[in-house]
Amino acid sequence: MDIKDRIRRRQRATGATGLIREYEAISPVSHLAEPIGRSSTLEQLLDALEPSLNGSLPPDTYVWGPSGSGKSAVISALFDRLETHVGSAHTPIGTTTRAEPGSRTSFVYVNARRAKTEFGLYRSILNGMLDERIPEQGVGTATLRDRLEDALSTPRKQAVVAVDHLGEPETYSLADLEAILAAVDGSLAWVAVGRDPPGDLAVDVPSTVHVAAYERHGLVDVLTERASDGLSSEAASHAQIRYVADWAAGDAHAALAALFGAAELATDAGHDRLTDADIDSATEAVPRPSVALGRVLALPRSRQLVLRELLEVDDSLSVDETAEAIASRRTVDLSAGTVTRYLYELADAGILERVTAEGDSRLGRPPSRVEPRFPTLVFRELFDSGRET
DNA sequence: GATCCACGGGAATACACGGATG
DNA sequence: CATCCGTGTATTCCCGTGGATC
């Protein structure tokens, strides 16, 4: 919804005549309704979820794989489909072949980055199951849990909940998720998504699905498809796409971030197609490894603002000096001390990297400076064209 | 009046370094 | 020589506050 608004705004601005035809198509934070080249993952997921197609509860499942391997893309697209075509809650009776009459299965996709608490999780699940408006505040967590149990208590009512992005600094772990959902009394199964191998987790999961990184040709397919949807024809050459795919080494998020950044640079420079220099500059603006943009864009406003302004500040300054510079900008209404703390916190979370300065031997502990660990060009663009994320 | 959660200040603690101490 | 201490910074941690919502 957010993204669409931004895109419309952009399309209006550019008249969709420029090099970039559709921002969403080349955005690393958006997913296609039909993921490209992940059919084996899709099959494995359907195997695991098969019981739910007949109205019974599937086993809890853990899906894992590296950054940019298409986990989110596949899961979100699949749950979307399942909810509209299989979950009968919103489907008029008799329009599709359903197993047991009256059985209702809700398929809910939850982004843990945006539902960071127990309260938020219950709220997201209820939101996906019911058409009613769910309170955001003013009501206790236990109340929400009761409400969820109510929703699940109707005979033959069940829910399969996908919870994406587990185990990141800002999100809870699979163990936490299991504990939270175990407290819910009702027919509910989960599909948890994370990066850690199942063996590293403190939880035994009955079923796992591994998603491997994209092969080179697979990633080329993804980029080709996305470029043809989002860019003017022939804006990116085949050789350029292969180059980006190689550079990204299987990480679709990084590859799309580079493509998006290059398109942005080319547009700003008035090119009608990507130059190799655009691509080089764009890849330089994508650190490897890089933090997912979705993580950055899910941060509270004030942190995103600090990150945005950070991009305008001389990056050789110390943390304190940087904070000072950021706090003095007129868009920022925070004390330098608070900005300092934000910078340290962001560094601790891996969104920034602290680099201890060398030389310059003054008294006391030597200062460090911070460098972004996220795709800066894309963040800048999404932040500036949007707002309210 | 209850409740969630982002905010934001500032106290507490860690660290680097040189010099004093045992 | 190893350890402790003081000083000046850098970094981390805690917790009350208040807006918004029900």
Side-chain angles (χ1 to χ4, degrees):
Chain A
M1 45 183 195
D2 213 43
I3 291 174
K4 275 181 189 132
D5 287 346
R6 298 171 187 191
I7 291 155
R8 292 213 184 89
R9 203 167 302 149
R10 272 326 186 99
Q11 283 174 329
R12 243 177 280 131
T14 64
T17 53
L19 181 146
I20 300 176
R21 287 286 160 75
E22 195 185 325
Y23 274 77
E24 187 168 8
I26 55 168
S27 166
V29 291
S30 65
H31 300 302
L32 306 181
E34 287 293 339
I36 305 156
R38 299 276 82 173
S39 56
S40 126
T41 301
L42 209 48
E43 284 303 319
Q44 290 178 64
L45 282 169
L46 283 170
D47 284 347
L49 293 175
E50 194 166 317
S52 66
L53 307 182
N54 307 312
S56 47
L57 213 54
D60 293 330
T61 302
Y62 178 59
V63 181
W64 61 287
S67 165
S69 57
K71 303 182 295 298
S72 299
V74 173
I75 304 263
S76 60
L78 175 61
F79 269 64
D80 224 45
R81 276 302 171 84
L82 288 171
E83 176 61 8
T84 46
H85 295 285
V86 179
S88 47
H90 307 295
T91 319
I93 297 163
T95 51
T96 37
T97 47
R98 191 70 15 61
E100 315 195 5
S103 75
R104 293 161 158 248
T105 301
S106 290
F107 294 89
V108 184
Y109 173 85
V110 177
N111 181 350
R113 288 170 181 157
R114 293 182 185 278
K116 301 185 183 39
T117 62
E118 184 176 5
F119 182 90
L121 177 62
Y122 293 149
R123 198 181 113 75
S124 298
I125 298 175
L126 281 166
N127 243 337
M129 292 181 68
L130 309 173
D131 290 331
E132 313 159 28
R133 195 178 150 63
I134 315 299
E136 296 171 25
Q137 271 159 17
V139 64
T141 303
T143 311
L144 235 47
R145 179 169 46 233
D146 289 347
R147 215 152 147 198
L148 178 55
E149 289 177 348
D150 276 354
L152 290 168
S153 71
T154 326
R156 290 198 177 128
K157 179 69 182 170
Q158 62 177 17
V160 181
V161 180
V163 186
D164 203 352
H165 305 304
L166 258 34
E168 294 180 350
E170 290 89 5
T171 62
Y172 37 78
S173 65
L174 176 57
D176 291 338
L177 175 74
E178 195 191 37
I180 293 171
L181 292 183
V184 178
D185 181 25
S187 304
L188 187 152
W190 46 257
V191 176
V193 187
R195 288 191 193 165
D196 296 331
D200 292 1
L201 301 168
V203 178
D204 268 334
V205 268
S207 154
T208 63
V209 173
H210 174 53
V211 185
Y214 278 99
E215 302 284 338
R216 178 182 197 252
H217 62 88
L219 191 46
V220 167
D221 287 350
V222 170
L223 290 177
T224 304
E225 176 85 15
R226 294 273 206 142
S228 91
D229 286 350
L231 302 180
S232 62
S233 54
E234 319 210 337
S237 74
H238 202 65
Q240 287 174 326
I241 283 178
R242 278 198 310 268
Y243 174 84
V244 171
D246 284 341
W247 166 84
D251 183 341
H253 177 272
L256 285 166
L259 184 66
F260 189 116
E264 193 59 33
L265 289 173
T267 300
D268 288 350
H271 303 153
D272 56 0
R273 59 180 55 194
L274 306 184
T275 66
D276 290 349
D278 292 330
I279 289 179
D280 283 339
S281 305
T283 52
E284 275 169 31
V286 182
R288 306 300 317 278
S290 162
V291 159
L293 271 164
R295 253 182 81 192
V296 179
L297 295 170
L299 291 170
R301 280 193 221 318
S302 57
R303 321 290 159 119
Q304 289 192 52
L305 182 58
V306 166
L307 289 175
R308 175 64 186 87
E309 296 299 347
L310 173 66
L311 301 180
E312 304 302 319
V313 170
D314 181 348
D315 63 2
S316 66
L317 298 178
S318 71
V319 172
D320 263 348
E321 292 165 336
T322 303
E324 198 77 47
I326 291 174
S328 69
R329 296 189 144 257
R330 62 176 179 288
T331 47
V332 179
D333 185 27
L334 299 169
S335 72
T338 297
V339 176
T340 305
R341 181 169 57 76
Y342 282 5
L343 293 175
Y344 283 122
E345 285 176 358
L346 290 163
D348 192 48
I351 290 168
L352 298 176
E353 179 170 20
R354 263 176 48 208
V355 185
T356 29
E358 46 214 88
D360 180 36
S361 56
R362 280 179 298 165
L363 210 51
R365 188 172 176 172
S368 47
R369 58 194 174 78
V370 287
E371 290 178 353
R373 298 306 294 172
F374 54 88
T376 50
L377 284 171
V378 190
F379 171 70
R380 185 193 309 243
E381 175 58 27
L382 293 180
F383 182 91
D384 289 353
S385 65
R387 235 1 345 234
E388 89 253 35
T389 304

